[in-house]
Structures are given as C-alpha cells and as structure tokens.
Amino acid sequence: MRKVKKLASVLLAVALMLAMNVTAFAITINVEDGNVTGATYVAYKLMDVTVGSTKDGETYSYTVNSKYSAVLQSATNQTSDENVISYLQTLTSRSTEMNEIAEAIYSAIGNKNLQPEATTTSGAFTNVDAGYYLIVETEVGTLTSGTTDTYSIYMLDTAADEPTTVETKESVPSLTKKVEEKNDSVYTSNSVWQDGADYDIGDEVPFQLTGTISNQYADYDTYYYAFHDKLSSGLTFTQSSVKVYVENSTTRTEVSSSQYTINTNTSDGCSFEVVIQDLKKLTGVTISSSSTIVVEYTAKLNDKAVIGSTGNPNEACLEYANDPYSNDTTGFTPWDKVIVFTYQLEVDKYSSNGSTLNGAGFTLYKYYASDANTGEWKAVGAEQQYDANYVFTWTGLDAGEYKLVETTVPSGYTKASDVTFYVVASYETNDDDPAFIDLEIERGSGWESVSGTPSATESDGKVLIHILNKTGSELPTTGGIGTTIFYIVGGVMVAGAVVLLITKKRMGENE
C-alpha cells in the first residue's frame, strides 16, 4: 500500500511538471530605440524567472538574484526577497511608482559598484538568461536626422520568451526655423512663415524659432532649454526685438524677459543664444510635453548682404536637457536653415545713336500697399547719377512693383516716360536648404522708353533695363505766317540790291 502511495506521489509530481512545461534557456533581448545609432545599453539580471503553462495560461516563477538582494530590499523598503516579489506584483506597469523604484534600484547598484550581466552597442542582448532585468542606457546615440538622442527612462521588464523586445521610454525635441515673407507691394493681413524670403537692404527681417518638448517632460526634475542662432554677415541681430512665448493648443502666452537670458558672447560660433535655465521654473505659463516654445526676433539686412541666388543664410538649433536623472548633459537638434535674398537694379541710358548719355538722373520709387485697394509710391533712396560705368544702380531690392522716373533730363533731350515694372522672384519655401529658382522682370506702363529686352540673372541677382532718350525738336508756334515770310522778303531784297548795283555801274561807264 505504501509503495502504491509513493508511486502515486511520484507520478503526480511528474504530471505537474509536465503540465507546467517549465522552460529556462538563453534568449535575446532586443532594445527598440527608434533607429538610434551609437547608443550603449547595460542589463542587470535582478531575478531568475521560469515560465510554465497550464490550462489557465502562462505562470511566472521569480527568484531574486542574491547579487541584488540587498539592492532590491532597499529600493522597495522590504525586508525579504519574498516580500520584494510580492510587493512588485502589486504595482502597475509603467506607473510613476515603478519609474521611481527603477531609479532607486540603479542608484543602489551604483553605490555598490555592481557590474551588469550584459552590455550592448548593437541594440540587442544575445545569449542571456531568462530573467527580470533592469536595462539602462549609459551612452546616448544619434538619430538618423542628426538629432542627439535622449537618455531613456530606466526599464524594468521580464525577458522570458524568445526573442523579447524592450521599448525605450524617451523622445527628443525638435526645432523649426522660419522667416516671414512680405511683399511690400501686395497687402496681406496674415504673417506667412517659410524657409525663404526676400527683403530690401535696411529692412528689419522677422524670424521665428519653434521648439517642441520631450514626451518624457514629466519625468525630468529640471529641463534646460536654449536656442542657438547663427546669422550671416549680411544680417545684424536686433537684440531688443526678442520675444519668447509658450504655446498650447488654444493659448499663446509671452514669457517675461526676466525669465530668460540673451547671450551674444558665445563659444560655439553662433551669433546669439536665448537661454531658459529651467522650463519647470517658469512662472505665469503652463507647460506640458505638448507645449511649444517660440522665439521671435528681427535682424536688419545690412550693406554686407549678398546679392543674388546665394542669399544670406540664417541657421538655428535647439539645445535641450536629455537625461531625466542628471543635469550634466544636453542634446542638440540639427541646424535648421532659412535664407534671405535681395537683388540689384541697373539702368543704362542711351541716346538715339546708341551712345551712353551723360547728364541724366533717375529716381526709383516702390509701391507700398496700405490695404487691398490703396497704397503710395515712396522713393528708394536719392536720385541716382551715372557711375563710372555709365550705369544707374540700386542695390538691395526685394520683389515688388517699381517705378523709374527720369528726374534730371540731359540738355537737348526730352524726358523719358515713367516706366513701371515688377520684380518677380521664386525660391523654395519649405526645404532644409532652400534654393533660389528664378528672377524675372514683368512689364508695366511706359515701356516705349525701353530699348531692347530687359534682362534678369539669378546668380548675381541683377535686373537690367535700357532707357532710350530722344533729341528734342523746336515746338510749333501759333498765329502769323511763321518765319517763311522773312526768308522770302529777305531773298527779294538781296536780289533787288544786286540789280541796283549792276545798273548803277553800267550808267557810270556810259558817262
């Protein structure tokens, strides 16, 4: 009887073992990090795990790794390994409390200088034992866009299936830079922000920087945030124009200037920085991971501006906190570029025989629209005289409607008709490196004074017009018979005098 009972007990144990189908073997843990290159991850096997299957589903049996027993008890405030396991099983995955425990575990590991069971730079741990792991990103990599990655929140996960994938808990901010497009001759009530625009030299050009925030913003204790901006020599920063805003779905709130700094003495080659030491300490605004931070400012297009298709580039990038557990490191977005273009008008003045004509002077006017129906002509600088090459030149113009007026007329010539025309330019408006496409001149009125075909070249940004002047003629008179009668009378008088002289001479000879 005892032998039967003993055999029954053995068979029951075997049956239970077969029913549980316990497995424990080497596996692969893949780290899903969003195509980041150059990142380093380490894995600490906190517990062993075995997986069984019953009619009710899979079962998991955990045993604390003695190497981490003290660490786990300290991090969870428990007094035994069994209590640690029981406590963790009461918590909710991806909860704030789990994030805090993961941080406490890694801190305790660091204090004890414990080494990880595995390290990878390829995004996968291969041939590791099944277990309950703490996975930590120890070196950030770079995204395919060039953006510096952020450090992931520490990851606690069971790796018991083949293979196991662990997703990192991170996201990176982004930056977009835009320049406002404005045609003075065409009225618009809305700002148009794009990657290319053209302006007159002397204009204040508006720029806009828009930065996003990491989805893990709530996990950071502090959040450093700084805009870096690099101007070309053709643009002069107007520091007093800087404004900073926090934008949410329906609100836009300006940040007081006392809560950020503008640094023009930089060490990275940029022209200036707008620095917010800690977004979480800003007052008077509401910030979450869905907020955007906007910087707006102007820069004057100066006389060093490059004319033509090369343009005057302006770049910006964003520096941001990228480690939720430390204030010592920051990441950078790629530089985002916009370009400001400007052009040049040249006018040749010719006489009817094709030679250059001295003594003329021209004034250029530009049409400024006040609204959709009205506007006014304003002079573009002073009257222009011939230069050494016998050309009138206006440098640093943007697209728009213009009028060329001969305000000084050479002696002996009639005033040329006023000539109106349109400078029309096209360039890419939504591109990482906006390229110039085309420059044209369109006719308006008064083109009877224009000789030949006007030309425009994209590379040097020049528009050339040839003005023909005609010689003056005496104006007609009114009343009387004009000068003809004087010619006739004069001729008769001369003929009579000759006859009289000949007759008198003959009479003298006869005597």
Side-chain angles (χ1 to χ4, degrees), residues 107-183:
S107 177
I109 286 173
N111 292 336
K112 292 182 175 294
N113 197 28
L114 300 177
Q115 299 304 306
E117 275 65 43
T119 301
T120 183
T121 57
S122 65
F125 300 97
T126 58
N127 295 320
V128 295
D129 295 333
Y132 185 64
Y133 281 88
L134 172 68
I135 298 175
V136 175
E137 185 175 13
T138 56
E139 292 184 22
V140 292
T142 304
L143 278 70
T144 53
S145 64
T147 302
T148 308
D149 192 19
T150 57
Y151 285 90
S152 172
I153 302 298
Y154 302 150
M155 296 163 279
L156 287 168
D157 209 334
T158 296
D161 297 325
E162 174 66 34
T164 297
T165 298
V166 177
E167 292 185 4
T168 59
K169 303 174 184 177
E170 57 186 319
S171 73
V172 296
S174 63
L175 175 105
T176 302
K177 177 158 194 173
K178 298 294 181 182
V179 59
E180 184 178 11
E181 173 68 295
K182 184 178 181 182
N183 188 323

Side-chain angles (χ1 to χ4, degrees), residues 227-243:
F227 296 88
H228 296 248
D229 200 288
K230 188 184 300 182
L231 300 168
S232 66
S233 59
L235 290 161
T236 303
F237 175 50
T238 305
Q239 183 169 333
S240 60
S241 68
V242 173
K243 300 289 185 183

Side-chain angles (χ1 to χ4, degrees), residues 32 110 136 138 146 151 255 302 335 382 414 493:
E32 180 59 55
V136 175
T138 56
Y151 285 90
V255 178
N302 60 49
W335 291 90
T414 58
M493 291 178 65

